[in-house]
Amino acid sequence: MTTEYLLQKEVDRVLAALMPQNQLIMRVILHTGLRISDVLAMKPEDLKLSGWIVEQKTGKRRRYGLPKQLLGEIRVQSGEKWAFPGRNPNFHKTRQAVWADVKRAATAFRLPQNVGTHSFRKVYAVDMLKRYGDIERVQRNLNHGSPSVTAIYAMADILLERKKAAKRKV
């Protein structure tokens, strides 16, 4: 099942209910639009105001930027090998552990939509489209090969509203 978009108040609730490290991870996604696997693969040397990563899913290079305050918070909890160390410091935190915490937080607030780590990437896309009004820019930032995929992400807020309206009619 596809993850769905969250309204800002829902984002705030989920973030507030997450474990501190997972909250940082999700905030990185909100600020960069990176996939969870790419955030978790960050190493201490990647922790800069801006830099380049090679996306694990696509193999494409992608630029990212981190706000100074968020960067500082990440550095405080960073391990020697990984920016987001797991229980065993030789390995980074797992996608599954973050996903489970996001699911737990969404369930605690009884959110009706299917919420996952990817929901935060959709929030990033919608925010970017609202800020710049340029779907091609959003596509480049998300490294999507197809404008139609980007449109689904960037218009996720409209799709959510339509879905809610349809449920109210029934």
Side-chain angles (χ1 to χ4, degrees), residues 14-114:
V14 170
L15 286 175
L18 292 175
M19 299 299 293
Q21 187 185 53
N22 295 334
Q23 184 188 82
L24 279 176
I25 292 164
M26 299 317 297
R27 286 172 54 207
V28 170
I29 293 172
L30 286 171
H31 284 282
T32 64
L34 292 171
R35 290 177 182 86
I36 185 72
S37 56
D38 296 321
V39 173
L40 294 176
M42 293 178 91
K43 296 183 176 183
E45 56 269 21
D46 297 326
L47 298 178
K48 305 176 228 171
L49 289 174
S50 67
W52 290 90
I53 63 149
V54 175
E55 292 181 329
Q56 292 182 13
K57 181 177 179 181
T58 65
K60 297 177 185 175
R61 277 179 41 103
R62 178 152 187 273
R63 189 161 183 73
Y64 67 90
L66 294 169
K68 199 175 202 175
Q69 181 181 343
L70 180 58
L71 180 59
E73 291 175 51
I74 298 167
R75 284 181 175 154
V76 165
Q77 62 81 60
S78 178
E80 287 184 32
K81 293 185 177 187
W82 302 103
F84 298 101
R87 287 186 192 160
N88 178 338
N90 291 320
F91 299 97
H92 61 67
K93 183 131 198 183
T94 66
R95 290 179 305 115
Q96 294 83 356
V98 180
W99 179 85
D101 198 24
V102 169
K103 284 300 219 188
R104 180 198 53 77
T107 301
F109 287 104
R110 296 186 175 128
L111 298 183
Q113 60 270 56
N114 181 32

Side-chain angles (χ1 to χ4, degrees), residues 164-170:
K164 286 181 176 183
K167 282 186 178 180
R168 285 192 295 265
K169 287 182 181 179
V170 174

Side-chain angles (χ1 to χ4, degrees), residues 105-143:
T107 301
F109 287 104
R110 296 186 175 128
L111 298 183
Q113 60 270 56
N114 181 32
V115 180
T117 57
H118 216 67
S119 297
F120 288 73
R121 188 164 148 92
K122 292 178 180 182
V123 171
Y124 171 85
V126 168
D127 289 349
M128 186 166 214
L129 184 61
K130 285 180 181 175
R131 186 177 309 134
Y132 299 108
D134 182 355
I135 195 82
E136 289 174 359
R137 184 174 185 166
V138 178
Q139 180 183 351
R140 281 191 311 274
N141 259 291
L142 295 176
N143 255 345

